[in-house]
Amino acid sequence: MALFGTTPNTTAATTNNNGDISNDFTLTSPPEDGISDLRFSTQSEHLAVASWDKKVRIYEIAANGSSEGKAAFEHEGPVLGCCWSKDGTKVVGVGADKAARMMDLAANQTTASQVAAHDQPIRCVRFVDVPGQATPVLVTGSWDKTIKYWDLRQATPVASVQCQERVYSIDTKDNMLIVATADRYIDVIDLNKPTDFYKTMQSPLKWQTRVVSCFNDHTGFAVGSIEGRCAIQYVEDKDNASNFSFKCHRSTPPTQRDVSNVYSVNAISFHPQHGTFSTAGSDGSFHFWDKDAKHRLKGFPEVGGTISATDFSRTGNIFAYAVSYDWSKGFQSNTPQMANKVMLHPVQLDEIKPRPKVAAKR
């Protein structure tokens, strides 16, 4: 059994710790360029996919793994992120055109309307509930070093927060918003005071942050970086003893035992029911982990290209992953031969359930 911090060689013989992707389904009619983000609705079996081809596409996923495109809308530049409203009726995309655009599916809209703007490209977006606001608020994070809160009923932001550097990743759970920026800054915001930093820290990892993802119980978050490492970080100081980091998405060539190839951790997703989580990276593999047991549940074989984005469906029975170029080797490596697809993995209980808790010995 592989513990955190160990990276089995992908050519090793299959064991109970190695997962199977032979039954994964391919999403119908995928984007025509790199896939930057994908998000499942929390209310239905629909998946939004953002792409460098300037489009956000919405698909319906059937129980048998088949999929069908239902809607799409365009930006004026590459789309870098997307999200759903909490009631599942609206999809928002953000991107290099410095705008957030929203399609209201319940209103049967065929085009998107602009709902937010920044001075630089917008990297990420989420809906949050802010106490005192009658409706959910849209939060956008930009390379202009700000996050902005938007009431969709008005054209100007209700608030703007200056960050230390360019915003690379945000995530939210309940009243907690996590903002990760360049120079490894991580800001924790309590949405009861949405314009204040509850806590600011530098990432426990030594290199550039790629992704942050909140625990289901909003007590902390996971951080992924370009150095093939993931950190588990709790917000409150009383839980500092539970913080740790571990190596992942690294490989050792069979003929070079003293060499370690290090890959970026591009995506971290938490299972909505079990609280276990996935990591996926530039090595083209994904893994399921139990942070409380500090244990790797399943490691899956390489999928034929870098993995740029992941998400679990609302029930956790489908794990979507984008096999698409992540720009980790520059524009030179973005060739027509690069894979560009979204895969749907049927999640089995034994792959994702936490390890049984062992009673402490007296």
Side-chain angles (χ1 to χ4, degrees), residues 329-344:
K329 295 185 178 180
F331 72 91
Q332 305 95 325
S333 296
N334 188 24
T335 65
Q337 291 73 40
M338 273 284 181
N340 199 70
K341 58 186 177 180
V342 175
M343 302 299 296
L344 305 172

Side-chain angles (χ1 to χ4, degrees), residues 16-300:
N16 290 337
N17 203 235
N18 291 105
D20 181 14
I21 59 173
S22 63
N23 295 318
D24 292 5
F25 296 91
T26 304
L27 191 73
T28 302
S29 303
E32 298 168 3
D33 203 345
I35 298 163
S36 55
D37 198 9
L38 51 80
R39 293 286 160 184
F40 275 105
S41 168
T42 60
Q43 302 298 321
S44 62
E45 308 310 319
H46 289 84
L47 178 69
V49 181
S51 171
W52 282 70
D53 67 6
K54 306 180 184 180
K55 292 181 181 179
V56 177
R57 293 170 172 82
I58 297 98
Y59 301 85
E60 183 175 14
I61 312 298
N64 64 0
S66 64
S67 53
E68 182 183 359
K70 288 295 185 180
F73 62 89
E74 290 205 35
H75 278 249
E76 295 176 3
V79 189
L80 303 178
C82 62
C83 73
W84 290 82
S85 61
K86 297 196 173 187
D87 63 3
T89 64
K90 303 173 183 68
V91 177
V92 177
V94 296
D97 58 358
K98 309 174 187 177
R101 303 179 191 275
M102 183 181 75
M103 177 178 277
D104 189 335
L105 302 174
N108 293 317
Q109 288 184 351
T110 57
T111 59
S113 55
Q114 183 170 339
V115 293
H118 279 260
D119 294 333
Q120 294 294 330
I122 306 175
R123 179 63 183 89
C124 33
V125 61
R126 291 288 187 275
F127 275 95
V128 296
D129 291 318
V130 175
Q133 290 291 125
T135 59
V137 171
L138 190 72
V139 179
T140 51
S142 169
W143 293 341
D144 66 8
K145 305 181 183 181
T146 68
I147 60 167
K148 294 182 179 182
Y149 298 92
W150 304 85
D151 183 329
L152 299 179
R153 299 169 297 181
Q154 59 189 68
T156 56
V158 293
S160 180
V161 180
Q162 185 69 40
C163 300
Q164 299 87 348
E165 252 292 354
R166 292 155 291 166
V167 177
Y168 284 167
S169 179
I170 65 173
D171 198 24
T172 184
K173 194 70 176 180
D174 297 334
N175 284 336
M176 183 175 73
L177 175 68
I178 305 296
V179 182
T181 75
D183 287 351
R184 300 172 42 246
Y185 285 102
I186 297 176
D187 297 308
V188 181
I189 295 175
D190 179 349
L191 290 171
N192 289 294
K193 296 181 179 179
T195 58
D196 297 336
F197 292 146
Y198 176 75
K199 178 177 282 189
T200 293
M201 65 187 78
Q202 283 203 293
S203 169
L205 307 179
K206 296 178 181 179
W207 298 92
Q208 177 183 311
T209 303
R210 285 286 290 160
V211 60
V212 288
S213 186
C214 295
F215 302 167
N216 290 358
D217 63 3
H218 67 267
T219 59
F221 52 92
V223 187
S225 74
I226 63 170
E227 73 210 66
R229 191 180 284 270
C230 179
I232 299 299
Q233 188 76 25
Y234 287 82
V235 172
E236 300 299 339
D237 291 344
K238 65 181 179 62
D239 298 319
N240 279 351
S242 298
N243 296 337
F244 67 97
S245 64
F246 61 96
K247 296 176 183 177
C248 53
H249 301 282
R250 301 183 177 201
S251 66
T252 301
T255 59
Q256 296 174 287
R257 304 308 298 176
D258 58 342
V259 172
S260 180
N261 294 324
V262 179
Y263 299 90
S264 171
V265 179
N266 292 331
I268 298 174
S269 300
F270 279 86
H271 191 275
Q273 294 181 355
H274 296 300
T276 48
F277 68 100
S278 64
T279 62
S282 295
D283 61 337
S285 73
F286 63 92
H287 304 263
F288 293 163
W289 310 87
D290 180 346
K291 67 177 175 60
D292 298 324
K294 297 184 178 179
H295 180 79
R296 191 183 75 149
L297 299 169
K298 288 289 180 182
F300 294 82

